[in-house]
Amino acid sequence: METKILTISSDTGIEERISSLSEAGEIIQKGGLVAFPTETVYGLGGDALNPESSRKIYEAKGRPSDNPLIVHIADIDDLNNIVSEVPDFAKRLADKFWPGPLTMVFNKSDKVPYQTTGGLNTVAVRMPSHKLARDFIKAAGGYVAAPSANLSGKPSPTSAKYVIQDMMGRIDMIIDYKSDEDMDIGLESTIVDTTGDKPMILRPGYITRKMVDDIVGETDIDVTIMNADSKVAPKAPGMKYRHYAPKGELVLVAGDADRAIEYINKQIAAYSKDGKRTGIIGIDEFIDRYNADSVKNAGSKEAPEQMAQRLYTFLREFDDENIEYMYAHVCSEIENSGLGQAVMNRLLKAAGHKIVRLD
Ligand code: TXA
Ligand code: MG
C-alpha cells in the first residue's frame, strides 16, 4: 500500500489546512487509516463505527484483536451517541478535563461495533485537546478509533518520524504535524473506568489520581498498575501485554543519587569492558557524572513532565543506536510526584519490572 505523507505546519494557510484535513477525513469515511498527532502520542485512526476499519487497525499494528481501541471525539454532544449512560461523576470529569489527556470507559451503545471494543460491552472515549486532532476527527465524521500509532510492542510514537518508521506501507496516510503550539505530553492518556460505583484508574497518565480525586472525591486504582504479579489480569486489556520495551535490557535504579550514580557507572564500566554498548537515562542535575556510550538527559528531577515527554524517544533512540544494556536513574522527587506514577508505570514495563533500590 502506498502511504501518503501529509505535512501540515503552523505556517500552513487556513485554506490549505482545511482541504488537507478534508482529504484525510475522507480516507477515514471510506474505511481507510490515517495516523494523526494528539497532545499525548500519535494515533492510528480509523472509523470507530465501521467494523472493517477496526479490523484494519489491528492488522496494521500487528495487535491482538481482543485489545480494545479508544474512540476519539471532537464534540461533547457526540458522546451520547456511543455510550448508553454517563454517570454524574463522569460528567464532572469531562467538564474539567475534556478536551485533554483523559480517556473514560463507559457502557457502549449499539452504534459501536464489538470489533472496536475488542468484544467488550464497554467503550473507551477521549476528546483530545490537540486542535488539529479535533479538526481531523470532525472531518472524519466525528468518531475516530485510534490506538497509539506504533507497531505492537514498540514505544508509542511521539513524533511523525517514528510513525513513518513503523507504519509506512501499512496505512493510507500519515499527518506529519510540524509545530510546537501544542503541549507534547509524551505518554498515553490516563484511563478512568466510570462503569462502577467509583471511578477507577486503569492506566496512569498526565491527569493524576489526585487531580481526579479533587473533582470526584474518591478514586480507586487498578491494583495491577504498579505490580509485577501477572496472575491478576489488568482491567484495561492492553496493560497485560509487554509494552514499550527496548531491544536491549533496561534496569531502573532508584534511591540516593550518589549511590545510584556510582552503582550505574560501575555496572556500565563492566559491560563496556566486555565490549557491550551501554546507555543511561539520567537526571539533568547529575548529567556530567554518568558514563556510557549514550547518555540521555531526562530533564530536571523537579520536572517529571520532561522525563514523560522524552522517555519514548530515548527508548527508540537506544534501539537505533544498538544499545545492549541500559540504566535509568529515577530520583525520589520524580517517583513521588503525581505524574511520577505514570512515568514509573511506563519505565517499569520497559524494564520488565527490573528495579534496583539503593536506599
Ligand atoms: O493517549 C492515548 O490514549 C493514545 C492517543 C492516540 O489518544 N491512545 C492510546 O491507545 O494509547 P492504545 O490503544 O495504545 O491504548 C488503549 C488502552 C489499552 O490498554 C486498552 O486495553 C484500553 O485502552 N481500553 C480501551 N478500551 C477499553 C475498555 N472498554 N475497557 C478497558 N480498557 C480499555
Ligand atoms: Mg499503545
Side-chain angles (χ1 to χ4, degrees), residues 38 40-44 61 63 67-70 72 103 105 117 120 122-124 126 146-148 187-189 191 202-203 235-239 243:
T38 81
T40 57
V41 300
Y42 267 78
L44 170 53
K61 268 185 77 91
R63 169 173 176 152
N67 188 359
L69 307 174
I70 295 174
H72 295 67
T103 295
V105 174
T117 66
L120 298 176
T122 55
V123 60
R126 167 161 122 78
S148 47
L187 295 182
E188 306 85 349
S189 61
I191 303 181
L202 306 186
R203 179 173 73 183
K235 294 197 165 53
M239 299 289 276
H243 259 187

PDB file of all heavy atoms in Angstrom, residues 38 40-44 61 63 67-70 72 103 105 117 120 122-124 126 146-148 187-189 191 202-203 235-239 243, ligand 1:
ATOM      1  N   THR A  38      -1.737  13.835  18.452  1.00  0.00           N
ATOM      2  CA  THR A  38      -2.570  14.305  19.562  1.00  0.00           C
ATOM      3  C   THR A  38      -1.608  14.903  20.590  1.00  0.00           C
ATOM      4  O   THR A  38      -0.389  14.848  20.398  1.00  0.00           O
ATOM      5  CB  THR A  38      -3.397  13.173  20.226  1.00  0.00           C
ATOM      6  OG1 THR A  38      -2.563  12.468  21.141  1.00  0.00           O
ATOM      7  CG2 THR A  38      -3.984  12.208  19.203  1.00  0.00           C
ATOM      8  N   THR A  40      -0.910  13.677  23.380  1.00  0.00           N
ATOM      9  CA  THR A  40      -0.207  12.626  24.126  1.00  0.00           C
ATOM     10  C   THR A  40       0.816  11.944  23.219  1.00  0.00           C
ATOM     11  O   THR A  40       2.019  12.151  23.363  1.00  0.00           O
ATOM     12  CB  THR A  40      -1.201  11.585  24.683  1.00  0.00           C
ATOM     13  OG1 THR A  40      -1.967  11.039  23.599  1.00  0.00           O
ATOM     14  CG2 THR A  40      -2.110  12.206  25.723  1.00  0.00           C
ATOM     15  N   VAL A  41       0.323  11.134  22.296  1.00  0.00           N
ATOM     16  CA  VAL A  41       1.175  10.445  21.325  1.00  0.00           C
ATOM     17  C   VAL A  41       0.413  10.413  19.999  1.00  0.00           C
ATOM     18  O   VAL A  41      -0.770  10.740  19.959  1.00  0.00           O
ATOM     19  CB  VAL A  41       1.483   8.990  21.790  1.00  0.00           C
ATOM     20  CG1 VAL A  41       2.213   8.988  23.130  1.00  0.00           C
ATOM     21  CG2 VAL A  41       0.206   8.142  21.891  1.00  0.00           C
ATOM     22  N   TYR A  42       1.092  10.010  18.920  1.00  0.00           N
ATOM     23  CA  TYR A  42       0.401   9.881  17.629  1.00  0.00           C
ATOM     24  C   TYR A  42      -0.613   8.735  17.676  1.00  0.00           C
ATOM     25  O   TYR A  42      -0.343   7.683  18.258  1.00  0.00           O
ATOM     26  CB  TYR A  42       1.401   9.614  16.507  1.00  0.00           C
ATOM     27  CG  TYR A  42       1.878  10.877  15.809  1.00  0.00           C
ATOM     28  CD1 TYR A  42       2.836  11.690  16.392  1.00  0.00           C
ATOM     29  CD2 TYR A  42       1.358  11.269  14.581  1.00  0.00           C
ATOM     30  CE1 TYR A  42       3.268  12.857  15.765  1.00  0.00           C
ATOM     31  CE2 TYR A  42       1.780  12.425  13.943  1.00  0.00           C
ATOM     32  CZ  TYR A  42       2.726  13.222  14.537  1.00  0.00           C
ATOM     33  OH  TYR A  42       3.145  14.369  13.924  1.00  0.00           O
ATOM     34  N   GLY A  43      -1.775   8.949  17.056  1.00  0.00           N
ATOM     35  CA  GLY A  43      -2.792   7.912  16.994  1.00  0.00           C
ATOM     36  C   GLY A  43      -2.898   7.339  15.588  1.00  0.00           C
ATOM     37  O   GLY A  43      -2.559   7.991  14.603  1.00  0.00           O
ATOM     38  N   LEU A  44      -3.359   6.076  15.511  1.00  0.00           N
ATOM     39  CA  LEU A  44      -3.582   5.419  14.216  1.00  0.00           C
ATOM     40  C   LEU A  44      -5.084   5.297  14.031  1.00  0.00           C
ATOM     41  O   LEU A  44      -5.727   4.440  14.622  1.00  0.00           O
ATOM     42  CB  LEU A  44      -2.923   4.037  14.236  1.00  0.00           C
ATOM     43  CG  LEU A  44      -3.220   3.080  13.091  1.00  0.00           C
ATOM     44  CD1 LEU A  44      -2.956   3.736  11.747  1.00  0.00           C
ATOM     45  CD2 LEU A  44      -2.364   1.839  13.230  1.00  0.00           C
ATOM     46  N   LYS A  61      -1.218  -2.646  12.967  1.00  0.00           N
ATOM     47  CA  LYS A  61      -0.371  -2.592  14.161  1.00  0.00           C
ATOM     48  C   LYS A  61       0.236  -3.936  14.521  1.00  0.00           C
ATOM     49  O   LYS A  61       1.165  -4.002  15.316  1.00  0.00           O
ATOM     50  CB  LYS A  61      -1.216  -2.161  15.366  1.00  0.00           C
ATOM     51  CG  LYS A  61      -1.236  -0.689  15.623  1.00  0.00           C
ATOM     52  CD  LYS A  61      -1.989  -0.398  16.909  1.00  0.00           C
ATOM     53  CE  LYS A  61      -1.206  -0.679  18.168  1.00  0.00           C
ATOM     54  NZ  LYS A  61      -0.438   0.430  18.687  1.00  0.00           N
ATOM     55  N   ARG A  63      -1.614  -6.067  16.166  1.00  0.00           N
ATOM     56  CA  ARG A  63      -2.087  -6.067  17.544  1.00  0.00           C
ATOM     57  C   ARG A  63      -3.163  -7.125  17.743  1.00  0.00           C
ATOM     58  O   ARG A  63      -4.023  -7.296  16.890  1.00  0.00           O
ATOM     59  CB  ARG A  63      -2.657  -4.685  17.839  1.00  0.00           C
ATOM     60  CG  ARG A  63      -3.440  -4.521  19.123  1.00  0.00           C
ATOM     61  CD  ARG A  63      -3.754  -3.052  19.290  1.00  0.00           C
ATOM     62  NE  ARG A  63      -4.576  -2.780  20.443  1.00  0.00           N
ATOM     63  CZ  ARG A  63      -4.541  -1.607  21.093  1.00  0.00           C
ATOM     64  NH1 ARG A  63      -3.730  -0.646  20.701  1.00  0.00           N
ATOM     65  NH2 ARG A  63      -5.314  -1.393  22.114  1.00  0.00           N
ATOM     66  N   ASN A  67      -7.765  -6.508  22.178  1.00  0.00           N
ATOM     67  CA  ASN A  67      -7.290  -5.314  22.879  1.00  0.00           C
ATOM     68  C   ASN A  67      -8.052  -4.094  22.360  1.00  0.00           C
ATOM     69  O   ASN A  67      -7.787  -3.626  21.254  1.00  0.00           O
ATOM     70  CB  ASN A  67      -5.786  -5.170  22.644  1.00  0.00           C
ATOM     71  CG  ASN A  67      -5.179  -4.077  23.497  1.00  0.00           C
ATOM     72  OD1 ASN A  67      -5.885  -3.412  24.254  1.00  0.00           O
ATOM     73  ND2 ASN A  67      -3.878  -3.882  23.358  1.00  0.00           N
ATOM     74  N   PRO A  68      -9.024  -3.586  23.125  1.00  0.00           N
ATOM     75  CA  PRO A  68      -9.953  -2.586  22.599  1.00  0.00           C
ATOM     76  C   PRO A  68      -9.316  -1.246  22.246  1.00  0.00           C
ATOM     77  O   PRO A  68      -8.264  -0.885  22.758  1.00  0.00           O
ATOM     78  CB  PRO A  68     -10.953  -2.412  23.745  1.00  0.00           C
ATOM     79  CG  PRO A  68     -10.241  -2.878  24.967  1.00  0.00           C
ATOM     80  CD  PRO A  68      -9.290  -3.929  24.526  1.00  0.00           C
ATOM     81  N   LEU A  69      -9.989  -0.529  21.349  1.00  0.00           N
ATOM     82  CA  LEU A  69      -9.486   0.754  20.853  1.00  0.00           C
ATOM     83  C   LEU A  69     -10.174   1.914  21.573  1.00  0.00           C
ATOM     84  O   LEU A  69     -11.301   1.769  22.044  1.00  0.00           O
ATOM     85  CB  LEU A  69      -9.769   0.864  19.347  1.00  0.00           C
ATOM     86  CG  LEU A  69      -9.278  -0.316  18.511  1.00  0.00           C
ATOM     87  CD1 LEU A  69      -9.744  -0.180  17.058  1.00  0.00           C
ATOM     88  CD2 LEU A  69      -7.752  -0.402  18.574  1.00  0.00           C
ATOM     89  N   ILE A  70      -9.515   3.062  21.637  1.00  0.00           N
ATOM     90  CA  ILE A  70     -10.126   4.267  22.209  1.00  0.00           C
ATOM     91  C   ILE A  70     -10.835   5.019  21.083  1.00  0.00           C
ATOM     92  O   ILE A  70     -10.264   5.232  20.010  1.00  0.00           O
ATOM     93  CB  ILE A  70      -9.048   5.170  22.847  1.00  0.00           C
ATOM     94  CG1 ILE A  70      -8.412   4.458  24.052  1.00  0.00           C
ATOM     95  CG2 ILE A  70      -9.654   6.514  23.276  1.00  0.00           C
ATOM     96  CD1 ILE A  70      -7.236   5.205  24.678  1.00  0.00           C
ATOM     97  N   HIS A  72     -12.101   8.420  19.655  1.00  0.00           N
ATOM     98  CA  HIS A  72     -11.819   9.851  19.829  1.00  0.00           C
ATOM     99  C   HIS A  72     -12.963  10.678  19.258  1.00  0.00           C
ATOM    100  O   HIS A  72     -13.402  10.438  18.131  1.00  0.00           O
ATOM    101  CB  HIS A  72     -10.500  10.209  19.127  1.00  0.00           C
ATOM    102  CG  HIS A  72      -9.300   9.544  19.751  1.00  0.00           C
ATOM    103  ND1 HIS A  72      -9.103   8.182  19.695  1.00  0.00           N
ATOM    104  CD2 HIS A  72      -8.252  10.053  20.439  1.00  0.00           C
ATOM    105  CE1 HIS A  72      -7.973   7.885  20.341  1.00  0.00           C
ATOM    106  NE2 HIS A  72      -7.440   9.003  20.799  1.00  0.00           N
ATOM    107  N   THR A 103      -9.025   9.529  29.138  1.00  0.00           N
ATOM    108  CA  THR A 103      -9.933   8.590  28.462  1.00  0.00           C
ATOM    109  C   THR A 103     -10.877   8.032  29.505  1.00  0.00           C
ATOM    110  O   THR A 103     -10.433   7.671  30.592  1.00  0.00           O
ATOM    111  CB  THR A 103      -9.111   7.452  27.815  1.00  0.00           C
ATOM    112  OG1 THR A 103      -8.296   8.000  26.780  1.00  0.00           O
ATOM    113  CG2 THR A 103     -10.018   6.372  27.229  1.00  0.00           C
ATOM    114  N   VAL A 105     -13.998   5.128  30.302  1.00  0.00           N
ATOM    115  CA  VAL A 105     -14.661   3.908  29.841  1.00  0.00           C
ATOM    116  C   VAL A 105     -16.125   3.946  30.283  1.00  0.00           C
ATOM    117  O   VAL A 105     -16.411   4.196  31.465  1.00  0.00           O
ATOM    118  CB  VAL A 105     -13.957   2.658  30.413  1.00  0.00           C
ATOM    119  CG1 VAL A 105     -14.724   1.382  30.057  1.00  0.00           C
ATOM    120  CG2 VAL A 105     -12.514   2.582  29.913  1.00  0.00           C
ATOM    121  N   THR A 117     -14.391  -2.519  20.238  1.00  0.00           N
ATOM    122  CA  THR A 117     -14.209  -2.652  21.688  1.00  0.00           C
ATOM    123  C   THR A 117     -13.580  -3.986  22.082  1.00  0.00           C
ATOM    124  O   THR A 117     -13.599  -4.358  23.252  1.00  0.00           O
ATOM    125  CB  THR A 117     -15.561  -2.520  22.435  1.00  0.00           C
ATOM    126  OG1 THR A 117     -16.393  -3.647  22.084  1.00  0.00           O
ATOM    127  CG2 THR A 117     -16.268  -1.233  22.069  1.00  0.00           C
ATOM    128  N   LEU A 120     -15.840  -6.231  24.082  1.00  0.00           N
ATOM    129  CA  LEU A 120     -16.388  -5.777  25.371  1.00  0.00           C
ATOM    130  C   LEU A 120     -17.709  -5.022  25.178  1.00  0.00           C
ATOM    131  O   LEU A 120     -17.981  -4.474  24.106  1.00  0.00           O
ATOM    132  CB  LEU A 120     -15.393  -4.841  26.076  1.00  0.00           C
ATOM    133  CG  LEU A 120     -14.038  -5.428  26.459  1.00  0.00           C
ATOM    134  CD1 LEU A 120     -13.140  -4.341  27.050  1.00  0.00           C
ATOM    135  CD2 LEU A 120     -14.211  -6.573  27.454  1.00  0.00           C
ATOM    136  N   THR A 122     -18.205  -2.413  26.908  1.00  0.00           N
ATOM    137  CA  THR A 122     -17.839  -1.043  27.263  1.00  0.00           C
ATOM    138  C   THR A 122     -17.021  -0.423  26.142  1.00  0.00           C
ATOM    139  O   THR A 122     -16.456  -1.135  25.302  1.00  0.00           O
ATOM    140  CB  THR A 122     -17.005  -1.031  28.554  1.00  0.00           C
ATOM    141  OG1 THR A 122     -15.888  -1.896  28.377  1.00  0.00           O
ATOM    142  CG2 THR A 122     -17.829  -1.467  29.748  1.00  0.00           C
ATOM    143  N   VAL A 123     -16.974   0.926  26.138  1.00  0.00           N
ATOM    144  CA  VAL A 123     -16.182   1.629  25.134  1.00  0.00           C
ATOM    145  C   VAL A 123     -15.371   2.732  25.814  1.00  0.00           C
ATOM    146  O   VAL A 123     -15.870   3.426  26.709  1.00  0.00           O
ATOM    147  CB  VAL A 123     -17.076   2.214  24.009  1.00  0.00           C
ATOM    148  CG1 VAL A 123     -18.098   3.218  24.543  1.00  0.00           C
ATOM    149  CG2 VAL A 123     -16.238   2.868  22.905  1.00  0.00           C
ATOM    150  N   ALA A 124     -14.113   2.868  25.406  1.00  0.00           N
ATOM    151  CA  ALA A 124     -13.244   3.928  25.929  1.00  0.00           C
ATOM    152  C   ALA A 124     -13.355   5.144  25.004  1.00  0.00           C
ATOM    153  O   ALA A 124     -13.319   4.995  23.782  1.00  0.00           O
ATOM    154  CB  ALA A 124     -11.805   3.425  25.988  1.00  0.00           C
ATOM    155  N   ARG A 126     -12.241   9.394  24.317  1.00  0.00           N
ATOM    156  CA  ARG A 126     -11.378  10.521  24.682  1.00  0.00           C
ATOM    157  C   ARG A 126     -11.627  11.672  23.736  1.00  0.00           C
ATOM    158  O   ARG A 126     -11.814  11.465  22.535  1.00  0.00           O
ATOM    159  CB  ARG A 126      -9.917  10.053  24.601  1.00  0.00           C
ATOM    160  CG  ARG A 126      -8.875  11.163  24.652  1.00  0.00           C
ATOM    161  CD  ARG A 126      -7.530  10.571  25.039  1.00  0.00           C
ATOM    162  NE  ARG A 126      -6.471  10.803  24.050  1.00  0.00           N
ATOM    163  CZ  ARG A 126      -5.814  11.951  23.918  1.00  0.00           C
ATOM    164  NH1 ARG A 126      -6.109  12.991  24.670  1.00  0.00           N
ATOM    165  NH2 ARG A 126      -4.852  12.069  22.995  1.00  0.00           N
ATOM    166  N   ALA A 146      -8.660   5.038  17.657  1.00  0.00           N
ATOM    167  CA  ALA A 146      -7.220   5.193  17.459  1.00  0.00           C
ATOM    168  C   ALA A 146      -6.410   4.655  18.623  1.00  0.00           C
ATOM    169  O   ALA A 146      -6.450   5.197  19.723  1.00  0.00           O
ATOM    170  CB  ALA A 146      -6.865   6.661  17.233  1.00  0.00           C
ATOM    171  N   PRO A 147      -5.648   3.594  18.365  1.00  0.00           N
ATOM    172  CA  PRO A 147      -4.598   3.216  19.303  1.00  0.00           C
ATOM    173  C   PRO A 147      -3.375   4.078  19.004  1.00  0.00           C
ATOM    174  O   PRO A 147      -3.384   4.853  18.047  1.00  0.00           O
ATOM    175  CB  PRO A 147      -4.327   1.759  18.932  1.00  0.00           C
ATOM    176  CG  PRO A 147      -4.613   1.688  17.462  1.00  0.00           C
ATOM    177  CD  PRO A 147      -5.675   2.718  17.174  1.00  0.00           C
ATOM    178  N   SER A 148      -2.351   3.960  19.820  1.00  0.00           N
ATOM    179  CA  SER A 148      -1.101   4.636  19.503  1.00  0.00           C
ATOM    180  C   SER A 148      -0.572   4.090  18.173  1.00  0.00           C
ATOM    181  O   SER A 148      -0.758   2.915  17.864  1.00  0.00           O
ATOM    182  CB  SER A 148      -0.094   4.413  20.625  1.00  0.00           C
ATOM    183  OG  SER A 148      -0.056   3.051  20.996  1.00  0.00           O
ATOM    184  N   LEU A 187       3.266  10.740  26.956  1.00  0.00           N
ATOM    185  CA  LEU A 187       2.762   9.456  27.459  1.00  0.00           C
ATOM    186  C   LEU A 187       1.277   9.377  27.141  1.00  0.00           C
ATOM    187  O   LEU A 187       0.593  10.396  27.090  1.00  0.00           O
ATOM    188  CB  LEU A 187       2.915   9.360  28.986  1.00  0.00           C
ATOM    189  CG  LEU A 187       4.317   9.350  29.570  1.00  0.00           C
ATOM    190  CD1 LEU A 187       4.230   9.202  31.088  1.00  0.00           C
ATOM    191  CD2 LEU A 187       5.180   8.246  28.979  1.00  0.00           C
ATOM    192  N   GLU A 188       0.763   8.159  26.987  1.00  0.00           N
ATOM    193  CA  GLU A 188      -0.640   7.972  26.646  1.00  0.00           C
ATOM    194  C   GLU A 188      -1.546   8.503  27.762  1.00  0.00           C
ATOM    195  O   GLU A 188      -1.147   8.582  28.922  1.00  0.00           O
ATOM    196  CB  GLU A 188      -0.947   6.490  26.418  1.00  0.00           C
ATOM    197  CG  GLU A 188      -0.056   5.796  25.403  1.00  0.00           C
ATOM    198  CD  GLU A 188       1.235   5.306  26.008  1.00  0.00           C
ATOM    199  OE1 GLU A 188       1.548   5.670  27.158  1.00  0.00           O
ATOM    200  OE2 GLU A 188       1.939   4.539  25.328  1.00  0.00           O
ATOM    201  N   SER A 189      -2.806   8.774  27.370  1.00  0.00           N
ATOM    202  CA  SER A 189      -3.788   9.364  28.283  1.00  0.00           C
ATOM    203  C   SER A 189      -4.040   8.503  29.527  1.00  0.00           C
ATOM    204  O   SER A 189      -3.854   7.281  29.510  1.00  0.00           O
ATOM    205  CB  SER A 189      -5.115   9.536  27.539  1.00  0.00           C
ATOM    206  OG  SER A 189      -5.600   8.277  27.104  1.00  0.00           O
ATOM    207  N   ILE A 191      -6.472   6.537  31.798  1.00  0.00           N
ATOM    208  CA  ILE A 191      -7.766   5.875  31.539  1.00  0.00           C
ATOM    209  C   ILE A 191      -8.511   5.696  32.857  1.00  0.00           C
ATOM    210  O   ILE A 191      -7.952   5.162  33.824  1.00  0.00           O
ATOM    211  CB  ILE A 191      -7.575   4.494  30.871  1.00  0.00           C
ATOM    212  CG1 ILE A 191      -6.787   4.631  29.572  1.00  0.00           C
ATOM    213  CG2 ILE A 191      -8.940   3.844  30.602  1.00  0.00           C
ATOM    214  CD1 ILE A 191      -6.566   3.311  28.844  1.00  0.00           C
ATOM    215  N   LEU A 202      -7.368   2.952  35.332  1.00  0.00           N
ATOM    216  CA  LEU A 202      -6.876   1.718  34.717  1.00  0.00           C
ATOM    217  C   LEU A 202      -5.483   1.909  34.123  1.00  0.00           C
ATOM    218  O   LEU A 202      -4.756   0.940  33.918  1.00  0.00           O
ATOM    219  CB  LEU A 202      -7.817   1.247  33.602  1.00  0.00           C
ATOM    220  CG  LEU A 202      -9.297   1.060  33.941  1.00  0.00           C
ATOM    221  CD1 LEU A 202     -10.030   0.444  32.757  1.00  0.00           C
ATOM    222  CD2 LEU A 202      -9.462   0.195  35.178  1.00  0.00           C
ATOM    223  N   ARG A 203      -5.160   3.153  33.781  1.00  0.00           N
ATOM    224  CA  ARG A 203      -3.820   3.443  33.257  1.00  0.00           C
ATOM    225  C   ARG A 203      -3.453   4.844  33.728  1.00  0.00           C
ATOM    226  O   ARG A 203      -4.184   5.790  33.458  1.00  0.00           O
ATOM    227  CB  ARG A 203      -3.827   3.390  31.718  1.00  0.00           C
ATOM    228  CG  ARG A 203      -2.469   3.702  31.091  1.00  0.00           C
ATOM    229  CD  ARG A 203      -2.436   3.484  29.579  1.00  0.00           C
ATOM    230  NE  ARG A 203      -3.159   4.496  28.845  1.00  0.00           N
ATOM    231  CZ  ARG A 203      -3.324   4.499  27.522  1.00  0.00           C
ATOM    232  NH1 ARG A 203      -2.826   3.499  26.793  1.00  0.00           N
ATOM    233  NH2 ARG A 203      -3.988   5.462  26.921  1.00  0.00           N
ATOM    234  N   LYS A 235      -7.502  -4.515  34.263  1.00  0.00           N
ATOM    235  CA  LYS A 235      -8.844  -4.241  33.742  1.00  0.00           C
ATOM    236  C   LYS A 235      -8.807  -3.596  32.360  1.00  0.00           C
ATOM    237  O   LYS A 235      -9.774  -3.667  31.620  1.00  0.00           O
ATOM    238  CB  LYS A 235      -9.609  -3.379  34.730  1.00  0.00           C
ATOM    239  CG  LYS A 235      -9.875  -4.137  36.037  1.00  0.00           C
ATOM    240  CD  LYS A 235     -10.953  -3.483  36.858  1.00  0.00           C
ATOM    241  CE  LYS A 235     -11.483  -4.397  37.943  1.00  0.00           C
ATOM    242  NZ  LYS A 235     -10.429  -4.962  38.808  1.00  0.00           N
ATOM    243  N   ALA A 236      -7.717  -2.924  32.022  1.00  0.00           N
ATOM    244  CA  ALA A 236      -7.536  -2.471  30.644  1.00  0.00           C
ATOM    245  C   ALA A 236      -6.755  -3.565  29.926  1.00  0.00           C
ATOM    246  O   ALA A 236      -5.580  -3.784  30.227  1.00  0.00           O
ATOM    247  CB  ALA A 236      -6.775  -1.151  30.591  1.00  0.00           C
ATOM    248  N   PRO A 237      -7.403  -4.296  29.009  1.00  0.00           N
ATOM    249  CA  PRO A 237      -6.748  -5.468  28.415  1.00  0.00           C
ATOM    250  C   PRO A 237      -5.339  -5.171  27.884  1.00  0.00           C
ATOM    251  O   PRO A 237      -4.449  -6.008  27.991  1.00  0.00           O
ATOM    252  CB  PRO A 237      -7.706  -5.859  27.285  1.00  0.00           C
ATOM    253  CG  PRO A 237      -9.044  -5.355  27.731  1.00  0.00           C
ATOM    254  CD  PRO A 237      -8.779  -4.097  28.504  1.00  0.00           C
ATOM    255  N   GLY A 238      -5.157  -3.964  27.324  1.00  0.00           N
ATOM    256  CA  GLY A 238      -3.859  -3.634  26.732  1.00  0.00           C
ATOM    257  C   GLY A 238      -2.727  -3.588  27.727  1.00  0.00           C
ATOM    258  O   GLY A 238      -1.564  -3.734  27.365  1.00  0.00           O
ATOM    259  N   MET A 239      -3.051  -3.395  29.010  1.00  0.00           N
ATOM    260  CA  MET A 239      -1.996  -3.269  30.008  1.00  0.00           C
ATOM    261  C   MET A 239      -1.322  -4.609  30.287  1.00  0.00           C
ATOM    262  O   MET A 239      -0.299  -4.667  30.945  1.00  0.00           O
ATOM    263  CB  MET A 239      -2.553  -2.672  31.309  1.00  0.00           C
ATOM    264  CG  MET A 239      -3.153  -1.272  31.155  1.00  0.00           C
ATOM    265  SD  MET A 239      -1.916   0.014  30.874  1.00  0.00           S
ATOM    266  CE  MET A 239      -1.419   0.351  32.578  1.00  0.00           C
ATOM    267  N   HIS A 243       4.868  -4.127  26.775  1.00  0.00           N
ATOM    268  CA  HIS A 243       4.769  -2.883  26.018  1.00  0.00           C
ATOM    269  C   HIS A 243       6.083  -2.141  26.051  1.00  0.00           C
ATOM    270  O   HIS A 243       6.905  -2.393  26.918  1.00  0.00           O
ATOM    271  CB  HIS A 243       3.746  -1.978  26.722  1.00  0.00           C
ATOM    272  CG  HIS A 243       2.410  -1.980  26.045  1.00  0.00           C
ATOM    273  ND1 HIS A 243       1.409  -1.137  26.416  1.00  0.00           N
ATOM    274  CD2 HIS A 243       1.916  -2.708  25.031  1.00  0.00           C
ATOM    275  CE1 HIS A 243       0.355  -1.348  25.671  1.00  0.00           C
ATOM    276  NE2 HIS A 243       0.627  -2.309  24.823  1.00  0.00           N
TER     277      HIS A 243
HETATM  278  O1  TXA B   1      -3.248   8.920  24.669  1.00  0.00           O
HETATM  279  C1  TXA B   1      -3.859   7.950  24.223  1.00  0.00           C
HETATM  280  O2  TXA B   1      -4.752   7.372  24.848  1.00  0.00           O
HETATM  281  C2  TXA B   1      -3.475   7.449  22.819  1.00  0.00           C
HETATM  282  C3  TXA B   1      -3.829   8.530  21.818  1.00  0.00           C
HETATM  283  C4  TXA B   1      -3.658   8.100  20.393  1.00  0.00           C
HETATM  284  O3  TXA B   1      -5.133   9.013  22.085  1.00  0.00           O
HETATM  285  N1  TXA B   1      -4.097   6.195  22.522  1.00  0.00           N
HETATM  286  C5  TXA B   1      -3.725   5.036  23.104  1.00  0.00           C
HETATM  287  O4  TXA B   1      -4.395   3.925  22.639  1.00  0.00           O
HETATM  288  O5  TXA B   1      -2.866   4.965  23.953  1.00  0.00           O
HETATM  289  P1  TXA B   1      -3.888   2.432  22.870  1.00  0.00           P
HETATM  290  O6  TXA B   1      -4.761   1.590  22.024  1.00  0.00           O
HETATM  291  O7  TXA B   1      -2.432   2.329  22.619  1.00  0.00           O
HETATM  292  O8  TXA B   1      -4.246   2.121  24.361  1.00  0.00           O
HETATM  293  C6  TXA B   1      -5.600   1.952  24.723  1.00  0.00           C
HETATM  294  C7  TXA B   1      -5.703   1.290  26.065  1.00  0.00           C
HETATM  295  C8  TXA B   1      -5.397  -0.197  26.004  1.00  0.00           C
HETATM  296  O9  TXA B   1      -4.650  -0.555  27.160  1.00  0.00           O
HETATM  297  C9  TXA B   1      -6.797  -0.808  26.040  1.00  0.00           C
HETATM  298  O10 TXA B   1      -6.803  -2.096  26.588  1.00  0.00           O
HETATM  299  C10 TXA B   1      -7.561   0.190  26.915  1.00  0.00           C
HETATM  300  O11 TXA B   1      -7.072   1.427  26.484  1.00  0.00           O
HETATM  301  N2  TXA B   1      -9.005   0.154  26.650  1.00  0.00           N
HETATM  302  C11 TXA B   1      -9.653   0.505  25.522  1.00  0.00           C
HETATM  303  N3  TXA B   1     -10.972   0.276  25.630  1.00  0.00           N
HETATM  304  C12 TXA B   1     -11.180  -0.215  26.861  1.00  0.00           C
HETATM  305  C13 TXA B   1     -12.334  -0.656  27.580  1.00  0.00           C
HETATM  306  N4  TXA B   1     -13.542  -0.634  27.035  1.00  0.00           N
HETATM  307  N5  TXA B   1     -12.162  -1.098  28.842  1.00  0.00           N
HETATM  308  C14 TXA B   1     -10.942  -1.137  29.408  1.00  0.00           C
HETATM  309  N6  TXA B   1      -9.805  -0.736  28.773  1.00  0.00           N
HETATM  310  C15 TXA B   1      -9.925  -0.284  27.531  1.00  0.00           C
END
